[in-house]
Structure formats: C-alpha cells, structure tokens
Amino acid sequence: MHFLYRCTQWTGSQTHWFHRIWCAALFILTCCAVQISSAQNLPNTAGAAPQFDVAAIHPHNPEPHERSHIISQNGRFTTINVDLKSILQWAYDLPESRIIGGPSWLGTARWDIEAKSDTALDAQKDYDHTAAWEQKRQMVQSLLAGRFHLIVHKETRELPIYNLVVAKGGAKFLDTKAEGSKFDRWNGRIELQGGDNTVSVLAEQLAEVLGRVVVDKTGITGRYRIALSWTPDDRAAPPSGAPPADSGPSIFTALEEQLGLKLESAKGPVEVLVIDSVAQPSEN
C-alpha cells in the first residue's frame, strides 16, 4: 500500500510518462496475443504437397503419326500430345498395367500441359536427383488432383508377375570391379554396370519394359556388367511360335541366350493405383 500511495504522489509529468509506457506495454501484449490466436487458427501447411505456381492445360488434336512428349526440366513440366494415363504413369512411377480403373478417355484424349514453378529444382546447390524427381512427381500429382479432380488410392492385389531365375547352364555374365553404377535402357536394349546388386536392378528394368512386376529369384548378388539386346515387338508374353527369320530374338529368348536367365510366369501381391474418380479439366 505504501508503494501505491507513493505512486499517486508523482508529478503530472511522471504520471503522463507512466501511462504512456503502460499503454505501450498493453498494446504489445495485445498484438502478441492476437498473433498467437491467429497462428493457432491457420491451417497447417508444413506438410502440404508441393505445387506449381502456374499451369495451363489444353486438349490436343493429334495429327497422324504425331509423337508424344513429356519434358521435365528445372521448375517446368511440359506434355505435348500425351494421354492422361501416360501422365499418371510418370507422376506415380508405375507401368500402365498397375493403374486400374478410370473412364475410356483416360487413354485416348490427349493433352498439352505447361506448368511452371519459380523454384528451379535442378539448379539447387545440393542437387539430389532422387529428391528432385520425387518432388516434381508430387507437384504433378497435385496438378492432376486440382485440375482433373483426380482421386486415387493404392492397394495390393494378386496379379500376374514374372520370377527371374537362372536358366539351365547357369548365368553367362562376369562380375566387374568398376566403381560406381550406371544403367541405360532404350528401345530393345538394356545395359547395366555395377550397383550393389546388379541382377536386382536388371529385374527392375525388365519390369519397366514388360509392364509387370519382376521378382529377382536368381540368388545372384554382387556387381556385374550386363548387356541385353532384343527385338522390342514382343512385350506382353513369351512368343508362342518361332519368330520370323528376319527378326531378332524376343526379350524372353534373348535373356536366356545372352545372360543365362529366364522369366517364369507366376502370381503374387502387386501394389496398384486405383482411380476412384477423374474428370476432364475446364478451359483455362
């Protein structure tokens, strides 16, 4: 009480400054409280999927024999004359055989997409190829969800697969001491070198070509140099008869003749992407 009494005995000037300081303190405390309250009401965007800043989508009327292109560079993603099912394969890193459902136009209607982000993914100092590709795929997934109203889910189904096994006579490739690892795959050819388990990488590449899960059951571990060449016409199943005289081997024949491995048909659990709903986008 003595302290309060002495405060009331301040001069008018002292009282004026005391009130100014007290009001300023109250103002700061009020602002802090408002900011905290506002922050508590904001949506949590920390875990939000990355998105493009701008995107334009237009239907494409293809010309006869016109090629399709998917181009991903820096913060850009471009498609020219590409159907939505192919875009889904790129966005979710899955072969066509593992994308289930959807309307008939999914594989027929063609689209030109030009999407851009101000963040140059490929120009980062600590550039990580795997992380950059994954982020770009998530951005395309967000684009498809927003503009095509795409809703999907993943589930496991029992589907046809291939088991990669050693053929009679044994494997026909040698190990390598080469440092690092690399692989190249183009129409009718696969080349691999190194890797912690080269044959497992080969199984992954064969799955990409065949559109069916390939399980490595060879039991072969280690680093190898592998090259496989075949005629890319026969993709879905082993040939039922002898190939024409002017054609090269199918991938199944080439695998056994060139590498001493073979593919056996089987069934097994496969993760698939199920399309729940999708719609053609509105005009930009």
Side-chain angles (χ1 to χ4, degrees), residues 109-262:
R110 305 299 181 97
W111 306 96
D112 293 342
I113 298 176
E114 185 64 41
K116 185 177 70 171
S117 171
D118 290 337
T119 303
L121 300 177
D122 299 342
Q124 298 172 0
K125 271 187 174 180
D126 52 346
Y127 177 60
D128 182 329
H129 284 273
T130 303
W133 274 100
E134 179 58 29
Q135 184 172 349
K136 181 67 72 66
R137 292 185 195 281
Q138 291 177 10
M139 294 168 75
V140 176
Q141 292 173 22
S142 296
L143 176 65
L144 298 180
R147 299 296 296 276
F148 286 88
H149 308 288
L150 177 70
I151 300 175
V152 298
H153 73 274
K154 290 185 177 181
E155 62 182 56
T156 300
R157 295 187 178 184
E158 193 81 5
L159 294 176
I161 64 171
Y162 287 119
N163 289 328
L164 181 65
V165 300
V166 179
K168 187 177 180 179
K172 300 179 181 179
F173 45 87
L174 301 175
D175 60 355
T176 178
K177 301 296 183 183
E179 295 294 331
S181 61
K182 66 177 183 179
F183 70 85
D184 292 300
R185 189 186 80 239
W186 59 96
N187 198 28
R189 188 165 179 82
I190 294 174
E191 289 187 5
L192 303 171
Q193 177 178 296
D196 293 333
N197 191 338
T198 314
V199 179
S200 288
V201 178
L202 173 64
E204 293 171 2
Q205 295 304 305
L206 290 171
E208 291 289 331
V209 172
L210 297 165
R212 187 185 294 188
V213 169
V214 176
V215 181
D216 176 17
K217 291 198 171 183
T218 62
I220 300 173
T221 59
R223 303 167 61 84
Y224 301 91
R225 188 190 301 272
I226 293 176
L228 178 68
S229 299
W230 71 94
T231 300
D233 298 326
D234 301 315
R235 298 168 61 110
S240 57
D246 58 349
S247 72
S250 71
I251 191 171
F252 302 92
T253 301
L255 193 63
E256 188 163 356
E257 290 179 349
Q258 298 171 23
L259 302 180
L261 305 175
K262 66 178 182 179

